[in-house]
Amino acid sequence: MLFPVYWMVNSSLQPSGNTLTADFFPWNPSFAGYEKALSEQGANLVTSLIVSLSTVVTSLAIAAPAAYALAQFRYRWITVALLIVLVSQMIPNIVIANALYSAYNDLGMLNTIPGLVLADSTAAIPFAILILRAFMISIPPSIIEAARVDGAGQWRAFWSIALPVARNSLITAAVFAFLFSWSDFLFALTLTTTDAVRPVTLGIYTYLGTQVANWSAVMATAVLSSIPAILLLVLAQKYIAAGATGGAVK
Amino acid sequence: MTAVIAEVPGPTHVGPGTGRPRRRTRITRESLMKASFIVPAALYVVLFFGYPVVKNVMMSLQAYTSKTFFTGQAPWVGLENYVTVFTSQLFGPAMLNTMLFTVGSIAGQFVIGLALALFFARRFALSGLLRSLLLLPWLLPLIVSSATWRSILDNDSGVLNGLLVSLGLGAVPWLTSTQFALIAVIMVNVWIGIPFNVTILYGGIKEIPAELYEAGALDGAVGWKAFRHITWPNLRPVVSVVLVLGVVYTVKVLDIILGLTNGGPANATQTIAVRSYQESFVNFDFGVGAAFSNILIVISLLFAIIYLRANRRAVDE
């Protein structure tokens, strides 16, 4: 199962341009691939980082209050709202891309970071709403009531009580929002037409577009784009496991 | 099971009771305040899910081409785009490929995933660590996996063919022959989907009470018998959720196919999703592209309904 991951790292360290002579172990590691990757894809990696972090902020800012409302307020239409959120997760990206392309074109939002961030949030927001709500529903209303009696407004109660209590699920939602956005390929492919705003996933695709001449650079880029996933797996494994079972996504 | 169920819109979840005195002015301010929690999300859902679905239906009934972007004109053409879709030479093969890709991927992911989940369910040293390492392929960007596999499957320089040749077997033109391309793409998608299957199925297996196995063992239900009479029946609700989610995810896969074969060679890996992308963003015929993607919506919704029903049953049991 992990061999391909190993092979990606191994190939990225091979001195020659292709894998024809690749050894099973990089006895003479060469960092030429990384030099090329960083010089050609460094800017794209930064773009990816900016887009992903913005997606995390945007989707949590939109999803967390909604999750709180769906968990703690009494509305008759909550079941319907949840159903809509659940179904929205199943709408294929290509459908969203089709419509957004023409809308973005009219609004001048093609090739912009906000445009990409809002599109990437389509994966994160429904997921975050469901994950956060599942947690916030278990917050005893009495805690929030107590704050309200002390004079706190709804937003104050949300901010200083619900959010801290739901901290773990917030981290889970943030981790997944980051991963969704970092690995987005389709929106980058369809909603950017120049290389003004180019995430690294699209950079890899461009490498693959022509006959690949330099596998070590491609694999070095692949390794660099895998670092967030590897880091999060090490640092936030608990939250990833929670998200995997709780979100049922991808 | 709990976590997957957690997001089922349960009919009984009602917010907290509020015992505050109700004065009219207060209610209005209060309801405005409450609305401010939900309005941004509602607006987002309308603009980024509602609008695209409606727009897509409209586009599929229009001659929406690159010309539209200059003239602003997209004349209505009725069902012409659908006629184009259904009579196009690629429709049959694309539908077949979508089905083969989906069924093949799901079968492979599920069988291997279940085997690994059962394996990990027997406690052994390092099982936790191995299980979390296993998640890695699932967390990598799909295009990274595509690129990696493309190098592994490469005809002349790939390590897989290198291995096959050194074993005395012939090299297989994985991605360049019409015969093998779809198989190769399915293989890669199976690899990507295994971690998810393992995680969910493992969770389901762990939820089965140990007493059932103890009681079963007294009646001689061990090994395969225990699996058939205890594990499988108890796992059924989880299984249906995994399978349905797998289908919903697999029918719309684009990254892997575009990264590995771009729909080629000679259309051997064209699926409905790839057709939709290519009609819209390569041929700039958004009307036909939208017609293709509406087929995807219908398939997804069909399985969404099955998902919701499967989930509800999981709650009842």
Side-chain angles (χ1 to χ4, degrees):
Chain A
M1 275 304 287
L2 288 176
F3 175 77
V5 181
Y6 167 75
W7 197 250
M8 167 176 81
V9 178
N10 178 37
S11 315
S12 74
L13 292 167
Q14 294 293 334
S16 76
N18 56 51
T19 46
L20 191 60
T21 52
D23 276 317
F24 273 83
F25 189 83
W27 297 112
N28 302 303
S30 148
F31 291 91
Y34 284 88
E35 274 167 36
K36 194 167 154 60
L38 279 176
S39 71
E40 290 181 1
Q41 304 279 0
N44 298 344
L45 283 162
V46 174
T47 303
S48 281
L49 195 64
I50 294 171
V51 169
S52 303
L53 291 175
S54 312
T55 304
V56 171
V57 174
T58 309
S59 39
L60 288 188
I62 294 177
Y68 177 76
L70 291 175
Q72 295 284 340
F73 296 167
R74 265 194 293 185
Y75 286 124
R76 243 173 296 150
W77 39 261
I78 280 184
T79 314
V80 179
L82 285 171
L83 199 68
I84 292 173
V85 173
L86 202 60
V87 169
S88 70
Q89 277 187 309
M90 298 176 177
I91 297 172
N93 280 356
I94 186 70
V95 170
I96 298 168
N98 259 347
L100 286 188
Y101 181 85
S102 71
Y104 275 17
N105 189 48
D106 294 342
L107 298 168
M109 278 172 74
L110 289 176
N111 301 309
T112 63
I113 287 187
L116 212 48
V117 167
L118 284 171
D120 283 353
S121 302
T122 52
I125 285 178
F127 176 81
I129 290 179
L130 295 171
I131 285 276
L132 292 174
R133 177 183 175 273
F135 198 88
M136 286 178 174
I137 204 140
S138 63
I139 300 175
S142 56
I143 308 183
I144 289 161
E145 271 307 297
R148 300 295 317 277
V149 169
D150 290 343
Q154 289 283 9
W155 276 95
R156 181 76 201 275
F158 163 70
W159 186 260
S160 50
I161 294 171
L163 280 190
V165 175
R167 190 176 144 264
N168 280 357
S169 60
L170 272 173
I171 297 175
T172 302
V175 166
F176 274 85
F178 186 92
L179 286 173
F180 288 151
S181 178
W182 181 267
S183 54
D184 164 63
F185 163 70
L186 190 62
F187 290 128
L189 178 66
T190 52
L191 301 179
T192 66
T193 50
T194 63
D195 46 18
V197 174
R198 175 142 297 185
V200 70
T201 46
L202 203 53
I204 295 177
Y205 184 62
T206 322
Y207 270 162
L208 293 177
T210 47
Q211 203 55 39
V212 183
N214 190 339
W215 273 113
S216 57
V218 181
M219 289 299 109
T221 312
V223 172
L224 292 173
S225 345
S226 307
I227 289 174
I230 295 167
L231 269 181
L232 289 173
L233 189 61
V234 174
L235 297 175
Q237 199 231 311
K238 170 173 104 176
Y239 304 104
I240 286 177
T245 45
V249 274
K250 260 198 167 180
Chain B
M1 193 54 234
T2 46
V4 183
I5 306 167
E7 38 181 289
V8 175
T12 50
H13 290 315
V14 177
T18 46
R20 275 168 281 111
R22 292 179 168 222
R23 267 172 283 134
R24 189 163 294 163
T25 50
R26 175 113 189 246
I27 291 171
T28 333
R29 268 198 63 204
E30 182 80 12
S31 52
L32 271 178
M33 190 69 102
K34 282 184 166 181
S36 69
F37 278 82
I38 206 99
V39 165
L43 213 62
Y44 184 87
V45 169
V46 169
L47 289 178
F48 285 84
F49 292 106
Y51 167 77
V53 171
V54 173
K55 176 81 178 170
N56 229 60
V57 172
M58 281 164 58
M59 275 167 128
S60 73
L61 303 172
Q62 288 173 297
Y64 207 110
T65 58
S66 49
K67 233 192 275 171
T68 306
F69 294 104
F70 297 111
T71 61
Q73 306 279 312
W76 296 92
V77 293
L79 295 174
E80 207 175 279
N81 290 326
Y82 288 95
V83 174
T84 310
V85 165
F86 290 121
T87 55
S88 89
Q89 285 201 320
L90 283 176
F91 177 73
M95 202 68 192
L96 183 66
N97 285 342
T98 307
M99 275 171 55
L100 289 175
F101 179 72
T102 306
V103 172
S105 299
I106 305 263
Q109 290 169 7
F110 180 75
V111 171
I112 302 175
L114 181 61
L116 281 172
L118 288 167
F119 174 70
F120 281 118
R122 313 157 161 232
R123 295 203 160 277
F124 57 90
L126 293 182
S127 91
L129 179 73
L130 283 176
R131 213 154 30 84
S132 54
L133 272 178
L134 200 65
L135 276 173
L136 194 56
W138 183 61
L139 297 177
L140 295 183
L142 290 175
I143 201 75
V144 166
S145 308
S146 301
T148 306
W149 275 97
R150 206 163 130 182
S151 94
I152 291 173
L153 296 174
D154 193 277
N155 216 359
D156 308 315
S157 63
V159 62
L160 184 59
N161 276 349
L163 192 74
L164 289 178
V165 168
S166 71
L167 287 175
L169 301 161
V172 177
W174 293 107
L175 298 173
T176 48
S177 85
T178 49
Q179 243 184 315
F180 290 103
L182 191 64
I183 296 172
V185 172
I186 292 172
M187 218 162 69
V188 175
N189 197 43
V190 166
W191 178 77
I192 290 167
I194 289 173
F196 177 70
N197 280 264
V198 174
T199 308
I200 304 291
L201 292 171
Y202 175 85
I205 293 170
K206 281 283 156 192
E207 295 258 316
I208 300 171
E211 297 90 67
L212 287 181
Y213 290 101
E214 286 160 18
L218 292 178
D219 298 333
V222 284
W224 167 247
K225 266 191 176 163
F227 174 79
R228 242 195 80 195
H229 297 289
I230 301 168
T231 314
W232 184 252
N234 283 291
L235 203 59
R236 281 267 288 280
V238 188
V239 168
S240 50
V241 169
V242 168
L243 292 182
V244 174
L245 283 176
V247 173
V248 170
Y249 154 71
T250 312
V251 289
K252 62 182 180 185
V253 163
L254 259 169
D255 313 39
I256 302 163
I257 298 178
L258 289 184
L260 283 171
T261 61
N262 229 333
N267 297 315
T269 52
Q270 287 280 351
T271 61
I272 300 290
V274 174
R275 283 305 326 135
S276 174
Y277 162 74
Q278 289 190 337
E279 290 293 351
S280 289
F281 293 99
V282 179
N283 303 338
F284 286 102
D285 196 336
F286 282 81
V288 175
F292 267 111
S293 57
N294 282 339
I295 300 175
L296 276 188
I297 298 189
V298 171
I299 300 176
S300 295
L301 280 183
L302 219 65
F303 281 93
I305 294 167
I306 301 177
Y307 171 76
L308 291 173
R309 300 196 64 181
N311 234 338
R312 194 152 300 160
R313 213 177 312 133
V315 180
D316 293 343
E317 274 171 15

